[in-house]
Amino acid sequence: MAIDDKELEQLMPETSLNWTEDAKARMLNVPFFVRKSVVRGIEQYARDKDIELIDDEVVSRARQEREGEAIAKMEAERKAREAQPGARRQYVNFAFYKLDSAFRRLPQAEIDAAKEEFINVLEDYDAQEGTIVLAYSTVGVRCDSEIMLWRISYEMENFQRMTTAMLRTKLGKYLDTTYSYFSQTKRSMYMDLFNPEHEEDRTHIIPGKAKYLFIYPFTKKREWYLLSKYARQGIMDEHIYVGNQYPSVKLNTTYCFGLDDYDFVVAFETDYPDDFLDLVMDLRETEGSRYTEKDTPIFSCTAMSIRDAVETLGI
């Protein structure tokens, strides 16, 4: 007979040392999928210290010391990686535009010439070394946006130069910027204990591998940042565990602290929107969800070539 979730929540792994009831009770607050490894770690700590009885105080000391060592090691390794050549952070911009309908009423010859001029500007910047320009359509999905440009560069000024060049075109004079989010890449602040391979070089985004992109800015409540690093890592363990159940969805997290109004901008790439919907529903039930301050607006985007995305404007 299969064990249900309630039984898993109340299941204490087999122990090899003596535990007080209070210490065991604390283990039942640990997510069941990491509980066994936590119990083993605490017992190894007790053996190293020649402790025969594990009580509430031993549990506290063991977790603080072991987690502190793990986080210190992780941060040291991370700093060493970031010091390596080629570990520069990237600037990231998600810019959403809507076309003034007056443009569609211009003579077709003017529309065609303006369209080519605009496409050439976007393609010229995409061709520059160290700069990526990806186009997405939001036509028919949102009323306040029709095209989105995901821009990645090592220089913030590239976004400004490109935007200026866009606005100088005839089509650009009819474009309204409805949303724009500015952020930067950075290595994750949390360890993926379940799939260490996800600890890739997150200072370097390689996007555009899926048909759909789902984007939203994201801010945590201030109470989140007042928690200890150990508490946040524990809560994120559950969050990461859920995310790993959906390998078809790739997460790109960029950071806005001090750069824009939000804490993060998250962009999920997938070929299966239904997987993304299920993932978000599952994440709503995690402990970390209670610390969400704001995670809207949300944008559903379809990847296209620059030319095809411009064509969806109906011109």
Side-chain angles (χ1 to χ4, degrees):
M1 184 174 70
I3 189 168
D4 61 25
D5 290 345
K6 185 65 177 178
E7 289 176 299
L8 283 171
E9 291 173 3
Q10 300 301 321
L11 183 64
M12 179 66 181
E14 184 178 350
T15 60
S16 58
L17 297 178
N18 293 322
W19 288 63
T20 66
E21 291 303 316
D22 286 345
K24 288 182 178 180
R26 285 189 60 178
M27 291 301 96
L28 297 182
N29 292 325
V30 176
F32 72 86
F33 46 85
V34 292
R35 191 177 299 152
K36 185 175 182 179
S37 63
V38 171
V39 168
R40 285 179 175 175
I42 292 173
E43 290 199 333
Q44 185 58 54
Y45 171 86
R47 292 190 192 94
D48 293 343
K49 301 288 185 180
D50 293 324
I51 297 172
E52 297 181 355
L53 177 65
I54 298 175
D55 58 16
D56 194 64
E57 182 181 353
V58 172
V59 170
S60 295
R61 284 191 284 122
R63 297 200 67 180
Q64 288 176 2
E65 290 186 25
R66 290 177 65 85
E67 290 176 0
E69 291 172 0
I71 290 176
K73 180 181 178 181
M74 176 190 70
E75 291 180 346
E77 291 175 350
R78 182 175 295 153
K79 288 178 180 179
R81 289 196 300 268
E82 289 183 347
Q84 296 175 358
R88 293 170 60 194
R89 295 184 186 179
Q90 294 170 309
Y91 291 100
V92 181
N93 175 238
F94 299 93
F96 296 82
Y97 303 94
K98 186 173 178 63
L99 184 66
D100 187 332
S101 60
F103 182 82
R104 299 184 177 94
R105 295 191 288 271
L106 296 175
Q108 192 59 48
E110 291 184 35
I111 290 177
D112 292 343
K115 182 167 59 177
E116 291 302 317
E117 178 190 25
F118 184 76
I119 290 171
N120 287 338
V121 168
L122 269 58
E123 290 180 342
D124 285 348
Y125 272 87
D126 184 41
Q128 291 184 10
E129 185 177 356
T131 300
I132 299 173
V133 180
L134 295 173
Y136 295 80
S137 176
T138 54
V139 168
V141 178
R142 289 189 67 101
C143 64
D144 50 3
S145 170
E146 295 173 320
I147 189 172
M148 190 278 290
L149 299 179
W150 185 3
R151 305 187 293 185
I152 303 167
S153 178
Y154 288 111
E155 296 182 28
M156 180 176 69
E157 292 79 5
N158 272 349
F159 302 152
Q160 297 171 312
R161 288 190 286 264
M162 178 180 173
T163 302
T164 299
M166 289 167 54
L167 296 177
R168 283 176 176 161
T169 67
K170 185 163 187 175
L171 191 155
K173 298 182 190 305
Y174 288 84
L175 274 186
D176 291 324
T177 305
T178 54
Y179 299 93
S180 183
Y181 302 104
F182 179 60
S183 53
Q184 198 175 55
T185 58
K186 184 181 183 297
R187 291 188 183 278
S188 174
M189 295 181 285
Y190 306 104
M191 294 176 62
D192 186 341
L193 302 176
F194 311 102
N195 190 351
E197 292 181 0
H198 282 183
E199 285 297 303
E200 58 188 16
D201 182 3
R202 296 190 181 186
T203 60
H204 185 72
I205 292 178
I206 305 176
K209 295 183 177 181
K211 183 176 180 180
Y212 301 104
L213 181 70
F214 300 94
I215 306 167
Y216 57 88
F218 181 65
T219 296
K220 290 277 196 181
K221 292 181 180 179
R222 289 301 175 90
E223 288 84 355
W224 171 256
Y225 300 106
L226 297 179
L227 297 173
S228 69
K229 288 184 179 180
Y230 316 116
R232 280 182 278 153
Q233 177 67 58
I235 293 171
M236 286 303 297
D237 286 344
E238 180 188 22
H239 187 95
I240 294 168
Y241 176 81
V242 171
N244 284 344
Q245 306 311 300
Y246 294 89
S248 65
V249 181
K250 178 190 176 186
L251 167 63
N252 299 283
T253 301
T254 56
Y255 297 75
C256 308
F257 294 90
L259 302 180
D260 210 334
D261 295 339
Y262 294 83
D263 293 349
F264 314 90
V265 178
V266 289
F268 296 84
E269 295 181 90
T270 185
D271 290 323
Y272 308 99
D274 48 338
D275 285 356
F276 178 67
L277 184 150
D278 292 343
L279 167 62
V280 174
M281 287 185 65
D282 286 351
L283 289 176
R284 289 287 192 272
E285 300 177 3
T286 63
E287 177 69 16
S289 181
R290 71 170 66 245
Y291 293 98
T292 298
E293 179 71 32
K294 186 175 182 181
D295 58 358
T296 56
I298 297 175
F299 303 91
S300 299
C301 312
T302 304
M304 296 184 180
S305 68
I306 289 173
R307 178 172 295 278
D308 286 345
V310 173
E311 292 286 354
T312 66
L313 295 173
I315 54 178

